[in-house]
Amino acid sequence: MNGHKTTQTILLLCLMLLLSGCRTRTTGLVPENPGSVDSAQNQGIESETQSGLSSPPSDAAALEDSNLENTDPGGMTRENPEASRKEYDENAPAEIVPGTEHLLHAPGSGAGLARSDPEAEQHANQLDSQAGETATQTVAADEAEKTGVSEDAPAADSAMTYFTVLLQDTMDSVFECKRAYVYWETAQDHVTIHKTSPEHALILSAGQYDVSARLLPENLQVDDGWVVRKNPGVIVKIVDSQVLGSRVGTTHAAESVCAQLLSREGWTGIDAARNRRILLLSQELLDAPYLQTAAMLMIAATACPEEFPGLDMQEALQMLTQEATGELPSGIYYYHMEE
C-alpha cells in the first residue's frame, strides 16, 4: 500500500515538472581545470531550450536578430541585392517616396548656397507641360524690359526710341523663315565682315542673318563663287563719300556701282539680284548711333518690305538727324535698286 502511494506521488511530480516547463543547461566545453566551477561557466557555450514547447531558432531568424542588434540609427537605408525593390528601414534618416521627380527649392536647399526667401519662392514655381492654360504676367510700363508699338500708346519721348521700338517690335513678329541672309561687302570689293564687327551687329539688330558669320578673321576676302553659293537674299554694299554721303546730290555714281555688282560672274542668279534687293549705304551711316539706327531700318525694310509698308526712310533719317544734331541732313546717304 505504501509503495502504491509512493508511485503515485512520483508520477504526479513528473507531470508537474512537464507542465511547468523545466529548463535544462548543458555545457559544451570541458573546463581545463575540473576543480574550478567559474572557469567552466565562463568558457562554456550555453544553450537553453524550453522542454516540449519550442525548437532552436533557424539560421535566417538568427541572422535577422543579429542585423537588428547591429542597426545604426543614423545609417543609410538597408538594401537587399536580391530584392526587386529597395527595402524600408525605419531607422534610416530619410525615405524615398515614388513620384517625387521635381524638387521645390527652399531656403538652404539645392546644390549650392542657401537661397533667400524671395529666390526660394521663385524657384518653387514649376512649369507643367500638360497644363491646360498659360499664365500671363503683367508689369508696369516703367518696369518692363522692352516696349512695344501700340496704336493707343503715348507718343515716344524721342525719335530714337520710336524707331528702335518700331524695328524691334516689327521684326519680333516675323517668322524665322521670313528673315533674309545678308551679304555685307565693305568699301573694298570682295571683302566682307567678321562676326565681331559692328557691321555684323547691325545685321542682327535689323533682324536678319549674316552669311559670313562663320568666316575666320583671316578669310574675309571672298570671291564671286563663294557669294553665289551663299545665295544671299540681301546685298549691302558700303560706298565712300564720293558715291553717297552728305556732299552727294545725285545717285549717278550709286547706279554705276549697282551695275558693276550685277556684272560680276553669276551674280544675276542670286536671290538678292533677282528680287532687286541690293542696298548701297554711305560709310557715314556707320559713324554715329542715330545714323546706325537709320541703317538698321534700311536693311530691315529692304529684307522685309511687306513688314514696313508705311515707312518713309528719308523722313526717318531726317527725324533722327535733326534730333541728334539740330539740323536736317544734307546729301544722299543710301540707294536702293528700283524693282
Side-chain angles (χ1 to χ4, degrees), residues 116-198:
S116 63
D117 289 337
E119 291 177 340
E121 182 179 358
Q122 291 176 4
H123 283 75
N125 297 329
Q126 300 291 325
L127 296 180
D128 186 2
S129 59
Q130 304 298 325
E133 298 181 355
T134 302
T136 303
Q137 183 181 14
T138 303
V139 297
D142 56 349
E143 297 177 1
E145 296 181 359
K146 299 180 180 180
T147 54
V149 177
S150 175
E151 294 180 356
D152 58 351
D157 57 356
S158 67
M160 176 72 81
T161 300
Y162 172 78
F163 287 114
T164 300
V165 172
L166 172 65
L167 175 61
Q168 184 175 9
D169 185 78
T170 302
M171 293 311 304
D172 282 348
S173 64
V174 176
F175 290 108
E176 297 291 330
C177 60
K178 296 291 185 180
R179 306 188 182 199
Y181 280 89
V182 178
Y183 167 63
W184 184 295
E185 185 171 288
T186 64
Q188 184 178 355
D189 290 346
H190 293 95
V191 176
T192 186
I193 56 177
H194 188 251
K195 62 182 179 181
T196 60
S197 64

Side-chain angles (χ1 to χ4, degrees), residues 27 29-34 36-46:
T27 302
L29 295 179
V30 178
E32 295 178 359
N33 184 3
S36 175
V37 177
D38 294 338
S39 176
Q41 292 179 351
N42 291 336
Q43 297 181 14
I45 298 178
E46 300 177 352

Side-chain angles (χ1 to χ4, degrees), residues 63 67 77-88:
L63 178 61
N67 289 337
T77 301
R78 191 170 59 216
E79 180 180 355
N80 182 359
E82 297 179 359
S84 58
R85 57 172 56 179
K86 293 184 177 181
E87 298 175 357
Y88 174 75

Side-chain angles (χ1 to χ4, degrees), residues 282-303:
S282 171
Q283 182 72 44
E284 297 178 24
L285 287 176
L286 306 179
D287 295 341
Y290 69 95
L291 294 174
Q292 294 172 2
T293 301
M296 289 187 292
L297 284 170
M298 295 170 188
I299 296 172
T302 301

